[in-house]
Amino acid sequence: LSPEAFVDALLARGARALVVGPDFRFGAARAGDVALLGQLAQARGFTLMIEPPVKLDAERVSSSAVRAAIASGNVRRAAQYLGRVHETKGRVVEGHRRGRTIGFPTANLDLEPVMSPQDGVYAVFARELGTGDRSLLRGVANLGLRPTFDAGRSMEVHLFDFDRDIYGHELRIGFVERIRGEQRFAGIDELRTQIALDCKRARAVLENIPTTWTELL
């Protein structure tokens, strides 16, 4: 669409005001800019508000910066940009049940197709969906290929102080901090020791998180 057609399409859908940044571009080949948008606002009779960029520690906050932080595993920085944790959701499906045999039962999630952070181990918050229970759960999640078992890609979440059958239920997961990268262990004992350390660190991380980060979770 041309810039003019782009604006007209928005107005046809009921828009009466637009809020944009100073470098907003629109229309085919990004041909429209805020100067043209100002002219169209006068001609078409809608309100235009141009807001200055939001900055965090002198760094401009943008969708590109948010995506880059998530892709690199820096989910804490992404949460600072967004004002909330980056989240995903998935249905709990049958796994190999290895976690339960080593003392750390996990929920294996079939994730929705949204952007996931870099593979690794994360401190997470979770909420069970569709039950009316808004309890905020805490846990540690492994996202990746599970190289110790060559078990293929998955996301597995161990929820602290939780022992309930939730197969078939949906969980919403909020990524709070990347604890470490994924790694291959020599055996079950070494893996068990590391998971215990991961859980200890995740518990400490989750004790000191702004409440606003999880309000929308």
Side-chain angles (χ1 to χ4, degrees):
L1 295 177
S2 68
E4 293 81 2
F6 177 87
V7 168
D8 288 340
L10 292 177
L11 297 178
R13 292 166 59 184
R16 293 295 176 263
L18 295 179
V19 181
V20 301
D23 58 353
F24 179 67
R25 310 289 302 194
F26 62 101
R30 295 167 52 85
D33 58 13
V34 292
L36 176 58
L37 195 57
Q39 297 171 13
L40 292 173
Q42 290 186 335
R44 268 53 165 190
F46 64 88
T47 300
L48 174 64
M49 292 171 278
I50 301 174
E51 293 293 326
V54 175
K55 292 189 176 183
L56 180 66
D57 300 331
E59 182 179 358
R60 183 172 178 174
V61 177
S62 67
S63 59
S64 296
V66 172
R67 288 193 299 270
I70 294 170
S72 69
N74 193 353
V75 292
R76 178 179 284 270
R77 189 61 171 174
Q80 291 171 336
Y81 288 148
L82 294 168
R84 59 176 177 83
V85 292
H86 174 61
E87 64 184 50
T88 188
K89 67 179 179 180
R91 190 169 300 279
V92 181
V93 297
E94 288 279 352
H96 297 287
R97 297 179 179 257
R98 292 192 186 95
R100 188 171 296 277
T101 65
I102 62 174
F104 297 96
T106 60
N108 194 328
L109 299 182
D110 181 16
L111 295 177
E112 63 178 350
V114 299
M115 185 176 187
S116 293
Q118 183 183 22
D119 287 356
V121 177
Y122 290 84
V124 298
F125 284 113
R127 276 204 170 99
E128 191 176 357
L129 303 180
T131 65
D133 184 355
R134 292 286 296 165
S135 298
L136 191 62
L137 306 171
R138 292 167 170 78
V140 62
N142 184 85
L143 177 65
L145 296 171
R146 300 176 290 178
T148 301
F149 302 107
D150 293 320
R153 178 165 295 282
S154 76
M155 179 169 170
E156 297 177 305
V157 183
H158 171 65
L159 297 172
F160 303 147
D161 310 313
F162 186 88
D163 187 19
R164 197 156 45 79
D165 185 350
I166 53 173
Y167 285 114
H169 294 204
E170 273 195 318
L171 291 179
R172 188 183 302 280
I173 304 297
F175 297 94
V176 176
E177 185 169 302
R178 189 170 189 256
I179 294 174
R180 61 174 175 85
E182 205 178 27
Q183 63 191 96
R184 183 186 296 273
F185 295 96
I188 296 296
D189 289 341
E190 187 177 333
L191 174 61
R192 183 188 292 114
T193 298
Q194 183 60 57
I195 293 176
L197 293 173
D198 295 339
C199 290
K200 182 178 180 180
R201 181 173 174 186
R203 285 181 184 272
V205 166
L206 297 172
E207 286 296 321
N208 298 288
I209 297 302
T211 55
T212 54
W213 283 17
T214 59
E215 286 176 352
L216 299 178
L217 186 62

